[in-house]
């Protein structure tokens, strides 16, 4: 998919407070984009979206196939989460060749493995600057995407199965 630099579609998965949607909304103020939210949003979030002038749409209860389609339609995967056990949206975004914006904290740093644009999830200006760089810097964006595609290989079924097999052999 060609990156839509003029009006990128930014996919945000999840609406729990740790997913950092409200800071993302504040960071997007003035950036021409479409924010696609997967999950239910409350009235406070709707008001913030309106106040910041963010074009958005949201949906919930999607099938696996529909979620894959959302990733494929996106230009940017937004995941500046405050904490996670793993961070599957990073790998899922990388797997479909999308630029991922994520947090400079663990486990996101390790999961992304240099294959994501990193920001401080507590700092709106850091998130904003990361969006702007991802949108405007073709070389940076494509370098990160290529690193992400390479990173996904270590999470393939074949690779993980081989690692388990090697572990079993040592036991």
């Amino acid at each position: 998919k060609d990156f839509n630099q003029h009006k990128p579609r930014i996919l945000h998965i999840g609406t729990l407070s740790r997913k950092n949607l409200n800071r993302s909304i504040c960071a997007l103020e003035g950036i021409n984009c479409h924010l696609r939210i997967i999950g239910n949003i409350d009235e406070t979030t709707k008001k913030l979206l309106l106040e910041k002038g963010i074009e958005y749409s949201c949906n919930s209860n999607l099938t696996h196939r529909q979620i894959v389609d959302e990733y494929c339609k996106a230009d940017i995967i937004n995941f500046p989460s405050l904490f996670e056990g793993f961070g599957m949206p990073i790998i899922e975004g990388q797997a479909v060749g999308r630029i991922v914006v994520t947090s400079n904290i663990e486990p996101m740093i390790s999961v992304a493995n240099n294959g994501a644009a990193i920001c401080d999830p507590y700092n709106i200006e850091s998130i904003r600057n990361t969006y702007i760089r991802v949108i405007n810097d073709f070389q940076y964006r494509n370098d990160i995407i290529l690193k992400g595609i390479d990173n996904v290989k270590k999470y393939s079924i074949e690779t993980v199965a081989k690692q388990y097999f090697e572990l079993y052999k040592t036991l």
Side-chain angles (χ1 to χ4, degrees), residues 105-125:
I105 56 178
E106 292 297 345
M108 281 67 82
I109 293 171
S110 295
V111 171
N113 192 29
N114 297 315
I118 304 295
C119 65
D120 177 347
Y122 295 98
N123 184 306
I124 291 169
E125 206 53 37

Side-chain angles (χ1 to χ4, degrees), residues 5-75:
Q5 185 177 3
H6 302 291
K7 189 174 191 175
R9 182 181 178 101
I10 300 173
L11 179 62
H12 185 93
I13 306 274
T15 55
L16 296 174
S17 61
R18 74 173 193 245
K19 302 297 183 182
N20 213 11
L21 178 58
N22 288 350
R23 280 193 191 94
S24 296
I25 292 167
C26 291
L28 287 169
E29 184 175 19
I31 295 175
N32 189 30
C33 67
H34 180 88
L35 180 60
R36 178 67 169 154
I37 303 165
I38 305 303
N40 296 312
I41 58 174
D42 59 23
E43 289 303 314
T44 303
T45 302
K46 289 178 185 176
K47 287 178 186 174
L48 184 61
L49 285 157
L50 183 62
E51 175 188 311
K52 299 299 180 183
I54 308 300
E55 178 184 305
Y56 77 97
S57 60
C58 59
N59 206 338
S60 60
N61 300 318
L62 301 179
T63 66
H64 175 72
R65 180 72 242 161
Q66 290 171 317
I67 291 172
V68 171
D69 288 344
E70 293 290 344
Y71 277 99
C72 291
K73 291 176 189 172
D75 294 294

Side-chain angles (χ1 to χ4, degrees), residues 121-135:
Y122 295 98
N123 184 306
I124 291 169
E125 206 53 37
S126 174
I127 300 168
R128 179 179 179 72
N129 290 338
T130 304
Y131 294 143
I132 290 169
R133 185 169 185 198
V134 161
I135 292 167

